[in-house]
Amino acid sequence: MKKCLTLLMCAVLISFTSCQFSENIYVNEDGSGTVKFSMDASEMMDVLEQLGENAADEMGKAVDSTIVFKDFLVKYKDSISKLSLEEQEKVKAMEDYTLHMVMDPHEKKMFFDIETDFDNANELRDMYKAMNNFNSLKGDETASDNLPLSPFSSMGNEGSTLVSYSYNGKVFKRNVEIIDVEKHQKSLDSIDKSALMLGSSKYVVNYHFPKPIKSFSKEGAMYSEDRKTVTYTVGFIAMLKDPEILNFEVVLED
């Protein structure tokens, strides 16, 4: 129980600590691939030291934990069955995901990543939706007690935007559309309160392709030596306020 409380405290503190969020997509020749969202919250380790002796004791040992949601659904099926049907669907939508968490107080490292495979880029839209739905779970405390905490709720904009992707073997597109203006405005009001604390946080896009990149529609991108990987960085707060700044097009060489 103490460990759970400490992890809960970690999830809360993430919202008030500078982090780096990364969106990593690996595209294969046939259009399938892997997507991974990562969050480096290592700066939070300094904050944990200030929580007191109990927190220090709980965080004294390094943690390297992996949750395979497919196995999780089987292990906690009884608890999940107590959730509403709507929230059961939100949990089940994460079936093909894997969550990895590392916390090492001695090395001052803390990072999380969640990943899944896809058959084509169009499926990535549903993946983003599933993550946002999982972040918004509000089930009965007893039934949801076994649900893993999702640090990615810090990414914000849950339900107010629609992120979609497309790839035809030549051109890869990422598009963000604000679909609920009122909900987006509420998230902006919340952002203004935490802007100073999250001001230095970054959102980094890393895309890996089977062919060299001919062009990227945004200025300031960086490329790997073989030009098969492009990296593009924006401010985290700027991305939350204007998610459309991450609308772009990648054209591959023939």
Side-chain angles (χ1 to χ4, degrees), residues 8 25-26 48 52 55 68 106 125 133 166 177 189 204 219 251:
L8 177 59
I25 296 180
Y26 302 81
L48 284 173
V68 179
H106 302 295
R125 179 182 63 184
N133 284 341
S166 64
E177 178 184 359
D189 294 339
V204 183
E219 295 184 358
V251 179

Side-chain angles (χ1 to χ4, degrees), residues 53-245:
E53 185 176 347
N54 290 337
D57 290 341
E58 292 300 322
M59 298 301 297
K61 295 182 180 180
V63 175
D64 189 335
S65 178
T66 298
I67 296 175
V68 179
F69 277 87
K70 185 171 294 185
D71 298 335
F72 178 87
L73 290 174
V74 174
K75 183 176 181 179
Y76 295 106
K77 62 181 180 180
D78 292 338
S79 294
I80 294 172
S81 67
K82 297 176 184 178
L83 298 171
S84 68
L85 291 178
E86 179 183 1
E87 291 176 338
Q88 286 185 49
E89 289 301 315
K90 290 179 180 181
V91 178
K92 291 177 181 178
M94 300 294 293
E95 181 176 10
D96 295 325
Y97 292 71
T98 299
L99 175 66
H100 183 214
M101 176 181 69
V102 172
M103 289 190 290
D104 190 329
H106 302 295
E107 297 294 330
K108 293 190 181 296
K109 291 182 179 180
M110 175 177 285
F111 65 85
F112 306 81
D113 60 60
I114 187 167
E115 68 177 288
T116 188
D117 296 327
F118 58 88
D119 291 328
N120 63 73
N122 292 325
E123 295 178 1
L124 291 170
R125 179 182 63 184
D126 295 328
M127 178 223 64
Y128 223 109
K129 181 180 178 181
M131 280 184 55
N132 282 336
N133 284 341
F134 187 76
N135 287 338
S136 66
L137 279 172
K138 296 181 178 65
D140 174 78
E141 288 186 8
T142 301
S144 60
D145 189 50
N146 289 316
L147 294 178
L149 296 171
S150 175
F152 297 92
S153 58
S154 305
M155 292 172 62
N157 288 334
E158 289 91 347
S160 66
T161 60
L162 176 65
V163 183
S164 59
Y165 304 78
S166 64
Y167 177 63
N168 61 9
K170 173 71 174 179
V171 179
F172 186 99
K173 293 182 180 180
R174 185 189 196 277
N175 185 71
V176 186
E177 178 184 359
I178 298 175
I179 58 175
D180 190 324
V181 176
E182 182 178 353
K183 188 176 289 187
H184 181 63
Q185 184 57 52
K186 288 182 179 179
S187 70
L188 292 182
D189 294 339
S190 176
I191 290 170
D192 289 338
K193 297 177 182 178
S194 57
L196 291 177
M197 291 173 284
L198 291 171
S200 61
S201 297
K202 303 294 182 183
Y203 194 92
V204 183
V205 170
N206 297 296
Y207 287 179
H208 313 263
F209 296 97
K211 300 177 183 178
I213 298 165
K214 182 178 181 180
S215 64
F216 185 77
S217 60
K218 296 284 189 177
E219 295 184 358
M222 300 180 64
Y223 303 89
S224 61
E225 188 174 350
D226 61 5
R227 287 191 68 87
K228 290 184 178 181
T229 297
V230 60
T231 299
Y232 183 63
T233 304
V234 298
F236 182 65
I237 293 295
M239 183 273 293
L240 292 182
K241 289 185 174 181
D242 180 15
E244 294 179 357
I245 64 174

Side-chain angles (χ1 to χ4, degrees), residues 40-58:
D40 186 343
S42 296
E43 289 187 20
M44 196 178 74
M45 299 307 292
D46 290 327
V47 179
L48 284 173
E49 291 183 353
Q50 303 173 25
L51 290 179
E53 185 176 347
N54 290 337
D57 290 341
E58 292 300 322

Side-chain angles (χ1 to χ4, degrees), residues 14-25:
I14 284 172
S15 301
F16 303 98
T17 309
S18 178
C19 303
Q20 177 167 296
F21 297 86
S22 300
E23 177 182 321
N24 306 277
I25 296 180

